[in-house]
Amino acid sequence: MTWTLFHKLGSPKWFYEISSRWLPGLACAAVLLLVTGTVWGLVFAPEDYQQGNSFRIIYIHVPAAFLAQSGYIFLAVAGLISLVWKMKLADVALQAAAPVGAWMTVLALVTGSIWGKPTWGTWWVWDARLTSMLILLFLYFGVIALGQAITNRDSAAKACSVLALVGVVNIPIIKYSVEWWNTLHQPATFTLTRKPAMPAEMWLPLLIMVVGFYCFFAVVVLMRMRLAVLQRESRTAWVKAEIERTMPKRTLR
Amino acid sequence: MSFESIGDFLAMGHHGAYVWSAYGLTLLVLTGNIVWPIMARKHYLQVEARRLRREERA
């Protein structure tokens, strides 16, 4: 990345303009992928010979768990950029992504619990994978609470960045929890080195769902960032012009 | 197609309650995540536009 691009990325106005061009495409991709993946996974994928149809929960559980972890790594990267270069937009990104990541963690935990009941015979066990995911949720809560508790924007940015960076140690713990400890949880479905242990008509829709969830995450985070940028820059001429443009006089009483 | 009929599809081989509650909850959370920023943006733009009008008149 060249430095000019880096500085441009730090400009809220530039971000606001470029993101409005990315959003429609990303949103279309998200809808298309999520609908395709869901229909394929629910209707056309063959049933699992051991778990029956309850295995179809995989098509939302695994993507949600992916995003829960990727979302936290995103927070940590944004936190690093915000700490080192004091880039305001990185703090905007961190604050915007934290609630979305938390929701993904909730989804992963809840769908996992629903899947666990027919598969393991229990809704919850205090095993390494599940516990470390619960800790991830609390880390998200910590970042969100810290961001809201500190009114000074610069101090809040610093505190949240540090927490995001420290908490990232939990990510490899989650990843390797199924190898380091005895666990009920099955090992990873996708790895970079091996072919998935399931047939293509089972893992292809899963891959589509994972990519779809990434697009969805990007859309939601961009939307939240755009709103935050408007709020933070509300005194500038370009935001006033944008408000004029989107809210013409006759729409207001 | 891995189901014989609509009824078969809804039953999910005795796992219907699990599969559909998981998908229903996910749909709810995803929809909420999309709707919230749209509503918040609309609200913000309205409030700010009113503020700008007031300041214009003043």
Side-chain angles (χ1 to χ4, degrees):
Chain A
M1 192 162 57
T2 61
W3 282 104
T4 46
L5 181 64
F6 196 76
H7 285 295
K8 264 190 180 170
L9 271 171
S11 149
K13 182 169 180 275
W14 183 82
F15 165 78
Y16 191 85
E17 280 160 7
I18 195 83
S19 62
S20 75
R21 267 182 271 161
W22 295 339
L23 265 178
L26 271 173
C28 285
V31 170
L32 222 66
L33 289 165
L34 290 179
V35 170
T36 313
T38 306
V39 172
W40 194 347
L42 274 177
V43 185
F44 295 99
E47 130 179 11
D48 186 77
Y49 76 102
Q50 276 181 326
Q51 300 183 9
N53 284 308
S54 68
F55 108 97
R56 293 181 199 281
I57 296 174
I58 200 174
Y59 297 113
I60 43 182
H61 175 73
V62 168
F66 255 84
L67 264 296
Q69 295 168 75
S70 302
Y72 201 87
I73 295 172
F74 179 79
L75 293 197
V77 172
L80 186 74
I81 295 173
S82 151
L83 267 188
V84 176
W85 290 286
K86 306 274 178 284
M87 190 196 271
K88 294 259 195 302
L89 201 61
D91 176 52
V92 172
L94 192 156
Q95 301 295 338
V100 193
W103 274 115
M104 291 296 160
T105 317
V106 168
L107 271 186
L109 284 168
V110 173
T111 56
S113 176
I114 294 173
W115 192 6
K117 188 60 187 168
T119 313
W120 302 338
T122 176
W123 299 102
W124 184 263
V125 279
W126 289 103
D127 106 326
R129 173 57 68 85
L130 282 69
T131 310
S132 53
M133 277 302 275
L134 190 64
I135 292 171
L136 181 70
L137 182 62
F138 293 152
L139 283 168
Y140 273 120
F141 286 165
V143 172
I144 296 167
L146 213 52
Q148 289 179 350
I150 307 173
T151 36
N152 181 302
R153 213 45 265 159
D154 291 339
S155 324
K158 204 177 271 179
C160 290
S161 304
V162 171
L163 179 57
L165 278 170
V166 172
V168 86
V169 70
N170 190 38
I171 296 295
I173 296 181
I174 297 175
K175 178 162 171 37
Y176 293 107
S177 58
V178 286
E179 292 167 30
W180 291 343
W181 291 283
N182 279 323
T183 171
L184 277 177
H185 199 282
Q186 64 200 55
T189 310
F190 290 129
T191 53
L192 288 175
T193 45
R194 271 177 294 118
K195 260 184 71 164
M198 38 168 89
E201 60 264 43
M202 269 180 169
W203 65 255
L204 258 174
L206 183 55
L207 191 65
I208 291 176
M209 284 301 268
V210 170
V211 180
F213 264 67
Y214 271 100
C215 291
F216 174 87
F217 186 87
V219 168
V220 177
V221 170
L222 282 180
M223 288 202 301
R224 297 181 73 112
M225 284 177 72
R226 285 165 59 79
L227 177 60
V229 161
L230 285 184
Q231 287 169 337
R232 289 183 190 207
E233 303 278 307
S234 65
R235 301 278 156 196
T236 60
W238 76 265
V239 170
K240 283 179 184 162
E242 173 66 9
I243 292 166
E244 284 301 329
R245 193 183 65 78
T246 48
M247 290 274 144
K249 281 199 173 82
R250 58 195 153 70
T251 61
L252 288 172
R253 272 164 289 141
Chain B
M1 198 82 82
S2 66
F3 298 96
E4 304 273 310
S5 65
I6 295 283
D8 219 25
F9 174 61
L10 292 177
M12 282 281 159
H14 307 302
H15 286 146
Y18 302 109
V19 173
W20 295 118
S21 61
Y23 275 83
L25 270 168
T26 306
L27 184 67
L28 214 67
V29 169
L30 295 194
T31 314
N33 266 290
I34 284 289
V35 170
W36 185 85
I38 293 175
M39 299 303 281
R41 176 185 162 90
K42 218 173 141 189
H43 177 76
Y44 172 80
L45 287 173
Q46 272 173 354
V47 169
E48 280 301 288
R50 285 209 188 92
R51 188 177 66 82
L52 287 180
R53 301 280 183 277
R54 267 199 314 276
E55 281 174 9
E56 245 171 52
R57 278 198 293 269

